[in-house]
Amino acid sequence: MADKAKFITDLNARYTPKGESIILGKGILDGEVVPEVNVTIPLKTINRHGLIAGATGTGKTKTVQVFVEQLSHAGVPSLVLDIKGDFSGIAEPGRRNAIIDERYGKTLLNWQAQSFPVELMSISGERGVKLRATVTEFGPVLLSKILDLNDTQSSIMSIVFKYCDDKGLPLIDLDDLKKVLQYVTDNPQGKADLSNNYGSISPASLGAILRSIVALEQQGAALFFGEPSFDVEDLLQQRDGKGVVNILRVGNIQSKPQLFSTFMLSLFAEIYMTFPEEGDAGKPKLVLFIDEAHLIFKEASKTLLNQIETMVKLIRSKGVGIYFITQIPGDVPENVLSQLGLKIQHALRGFTAKDRKEIDKAVENYPITEFYNAGQLIQNLGIGEAFVTALDEKGIPTPLVHTYLISPESRMDVLTDAEVADLTSRSALVAKYEQTVNKDSAYEMLTSRMEQAVKNAPPEVPKTTRKPKEEPGMFESVMNSRAGRTFTSTLAREGAKFVLGMLGLGGRRR
């Protein structure tokens, strides 16, 4: 039996911050809840990122819900990427039941059913705030990453953007970009203008770029590119003193990997370039929760992993915390895992030799403890229990503590369709971004120019001397080809590449 008095003294010394904090639960020793030990996390260290891991069915989603609720109570807004679609119930009050009564009888804490302010968001046309960005805001470098272009094709994209800048052709949506490519490929005036002033460009390379754009469109990107652009400052709302919980529903991520990467690239780049440096703030400005994080790291190259590590290091200075939710810590690369200050580990199951190796690896990443046999206990944690280690206010890792987690105060279930409709109908942000703005841009301007050129063309030669009908241009050939129509299926098989979108460090040009 461990020394209970020493356990209380040692844990309270490290889990009692002087500044603002959030509570996750109570300490457990020898299988019994110790209500004298509050497991609290300083708000000032939340931007040092974290990991929430555990096998399926061990309570990770409910832990995220508790975490987000506590942040909201402290006035900190969050953005949750809800891949499984089971998080929206936070917008409605929970219901007391026997399990909650038992849990709070042991913790000696008060439980109060309540809802939290929520904004539902979408990048694929579902109900909610429509997240959009313009092609110009992405710029040639970031757009080339999304389209998975090679170095030569990326250089051509830069030339096309330069051409549009010089000619005053706004690139708002993908129709604009396709129209420009058509103009400089199949139109004699456009081809000559581009060749004389910017250099010759291979039609094959332009065709490859066009096919990539078509593939992106077929995943629904036409809904994402456009105006009005989403302002990331709108993620920082409070209502009645509570931080707003922004929920991005991306349940179809696996079937639309490029579209998801487009959003991630836009979001992270915009946050990094827009938010000011925070210094040593008392609490974070925004916290991001990325569910199913293994989808990000599954097939990442060494270069990409370096970019992820760089992003995790840099964005904390903006007062932003990033939390990865996955099944095993081994899903997250070592260099990234070492940057995560808070770790909440639910139970792991050792069914196979590989599973047992992952358990050993997970235990090695936690501080040594005299109160638990971590390697054995990690396989026997109950639902709603977890190992926790964090950073104290001085940035020093806290002792590993077996934690009896508190319950969510909001509904632990999804919203009904009627509730989603009601929530979105009352949202000022939904109204702000609902209607697209279709200004005159490159598509309209070049269409007008090409129509005018047809009107000003010399009369058609007599039928007897008419030239043979021309073959369709490269643009039309690509648009009508089988490759152009089915290119998405190829990209779907390469879905893991979507992670390239997450880590662009560029920003929008406003």
Side-chain angles (χ1 to χ4, degrees):
M1 295 287 291
D3 187 335
K4 183 176 180 180
K6 187 176 189 302
F7 176 77
I8 294 172
T9 301
D10 289 358
L11 271 294
N12 280 339
R14 301 300 305 281
Y15 281 98
T16 309
K18 296 179 180 178
E20 286 188 87
S21 62
I22 62 174
I23 183 169
L24 296 180
K26 296 284 188 173
I28 299 177
L29 182 65
D30 294 330
E32 293 186 4
V33 178
V34 182
E36 294 90 346
V37 175
N38 288 323
V39 180
T40 53
I41 312 298
L43 276 175
K44 67 178 296 183
T45 67
I46 297 294
N47 70 326
R48 297 294 294 272
H49 315 312
L51 172 74
I52 300 173
T56 300
T58 55
K60 296 190 299 297
T61 299
K62 300 303 177 283
T63 298
V64 175
Q65 193 167 343
V66 165
F67 200 158
V68 169
E69 287 180 355
Q70 291 294 306
L71 290 172
S72 182
H73 278 308
V76 178
S78 56
L79 173 64
V80 181
L81 274 61
D82 186 17
I83 291 176
K84 295 191 292 292
D86 53 3
F87 199 79
S88 60
I90 197 171
E92 292 291 328
R95 288 186 177 181
R96 199 175 194 104
N97 55 37
I99 295 175
I100 290 176
D101 286 339
E102 178 186 4
R103 185 165 293 265
Y104 279 77
K106 293 179 179 179
T107 62
L108 304 183
L109 294 171
N110 293 320
W111 185 89
Q112 180 180 352
Q114 58 185 299
S115 61
F116 292 81
V118 165
E119 288 287 354
L120 299 179
M121 300 184 165
S122 171
I123 58 175
S124 57
E126 296 177 323
R127 287 183 180 272
V129 180
K130 302 295 189 295
L131 303 187
R132 300 187 189 90
T134 68
V135 172
T136 295
E137 286 168 341
F138 265 71
V141 176
L142 302 187
L143 193 60
S144 295
K145 287 184 178 182
I146 295 165
L147 297 174
D148 200 19
L149 303 183
N150 61 31
D151 290 343
T152 300
Q153 294 159 358
S154 298
S155 299
I156 292 173
M157 184 66 76
S158 297
I159 291 173
V160 170
F161 269 70
K162 173 63 175 171
Y163 175 83
C164 292
D165 281 345
D166 293 345
K167 302 298 180 181
L169 299 172
L171 294 173
I172 304 300
D173 53 29
L174 293 180
D175 281 342
D176 292 327
L177 187 56
K178 289 191 300 180
K179 197 66 177 181
V180 172
L181 290 173
Q182 179 188 14
Y183 184 69
V184 301
T185 301
D186 291 344
N187 183 274
Q189 181 182 345
K191 287 173 65 176
D193 194 10
L194 188 72
S195 178
N196 293 336
N197 296 291
Y198 301 89
S200 179
I201 295 177
S202 164
S205 295
L206 285 172
I209 294 172
L210 183 58
R211 284 190 292 273
S212 295
I213 294 171
V214 170
L216 188 62
E217 273 191 317
Q218 291 178 334
Q219 290 194 22
L223 297 172
F224 177 73
F225 285 102
E227 289 188 318
S229 299
F230 183 72
D231 185 353
V232 292
E233 294 286 343
D234 284 333
L235 294 172
L236 305 181
Q237 297 185 95
Q238 290 184 348
R239 293 179 197 156
D240 300 324
K242 291 181 179 179
V244 170
V245 182
N246 302 284
I247 301 175
L248 176 65
R249 297 183 292 169
V250 285
N252 53 1
I253 173 181
Q254 307 238 17
S255 63
K256 298 183 177 182
Q258 254 190 312
L259 179 59
F260 180 71
S261 67
T262 301
F263 164 74
M264 292 295 292
L265 182 59
S266 171
L267 177 72
F268 281 85
E270 183 73 351
I271 287 175
Y272 180 75
M273 298 302 292
T274 302
F275 288 3
E277 295 286 332
E278 286 296 306
D280 190 19
K283 59 184 180 182
K285 176 179 288 187
L286 177 70
V287 181
L288 310 178
F289 293 87
I290 303 174
D291 200 2
E292 303 295 337
H294 65 278
L295 295 175
I296 295 173
F297 301 109
K298 189 175 181 181
E299 293 184 10
S301 65
K302 183 177 180 181
T303 301
L304 179 57
L305 293 179
N306 289 337
Q307 290 179 320
I308 295 175
E309 183 181 358
T310 300
M311 172 60 80
V312 170
K313 288 179 179 178
L314 292 177
I315 205 168
R316 71 170 58 143
S317 68
K318 307 292 185 173
V320 178
I322 302 175
Y323 286 76
F324 300 102
I325 300 100
T326 190
Q327 293 196 12
I328 57 176
D331 290 335
V332 181
E334 198 69 37
N335 288 342
V336 177
L337 193 63
S338 65
Q339 300 294 323
L340 308 181
L342 172 62
K343 297 183 179 70
I344 302 175
Q345 177 65 63
H346 289 267
L348 293 176
R349 309 303 185 199
F351 297 121
T352 67
K354 182 179 179 181
D355 292 338
R356 289 189 288 273
K357 288 181 180 179
E358 290 292 346
I359 290 172
D360 292 340
K361 182 179 178 181
V363 171
E364 289 173 359
N365 282 305
Y366 299 132
I368 297 174
T369 174
E370 64 180 281
F371 298 109
Y372 311 111
N373 180 343
Q376 180 179 352
L377 183 55
I378 197 173
Q379 301 179 62
N380 296 292
L381 295 171
I383 296 175
E385 299 177 11
F387 276 146
V388 173
T389 178
L391 298 177
D392 64 17
E393 290 171 306
K394 296 181 180 179
I396 302 171
T398 58
L400 189 68
V401 55
H402 180 191
T403 304
Y404 196 64
L405 297 162
I406 61 176
S407 300
E409 296 172 308
S410 57
R411 183 195 296 175
M412 291 185 275
D413 199 358
V414 300
L415 297 179
T416 64
D417 290 341
E419 288 170 332
V420 169
D422 179 62
L423 179 63
T424 54
S425 68
R426 293 184 282 106
S427 168
L429 279 188
V430 169
K432 176 180 178 180
Y433 292 104
E434 184 66 24
Q435 297 300 323
T436 58
V437 178
N438 191 15
K439 299 177 182 177
D440 278 352
S441 52
Y443 180 87
E444 289 79 13
M445 296 168 70
L446 289 178
T447 298
S448 176
R449 188 178 302 177
M450 294 165 75
E451 289 174 349
Q452 189 62 40
V454 171
K455 291 180 181 179
N456 296 336
E460 191 177 274
V461 296
K463 185 175 182 179
T464 55
T465 58
R466 181 179 293 172
K467 296 180 181 179
K469 184 178 181 180
E470 293 183 1
E471 293 295 319
M474 184 272 289
F475 179 87
E476 287 80 4
S477 297
V478 170
M479 292 297 290
N480 295 324
S481 68
R482 186 173 184 272
R485 294 193 304 270
T486 63
F487 199 68
T488 295
S489 61
T490 302
L491 283 185
R493 291 194 299 270
E494 301 296 325
K497 292 182 180 178
F498 83 90
V499 295
L500 290 173
M502 176 182 171
L503 298 146
L505 298 182
R508 299 181 180 175
R509 295 180 293 167
R510 292 201 177 277

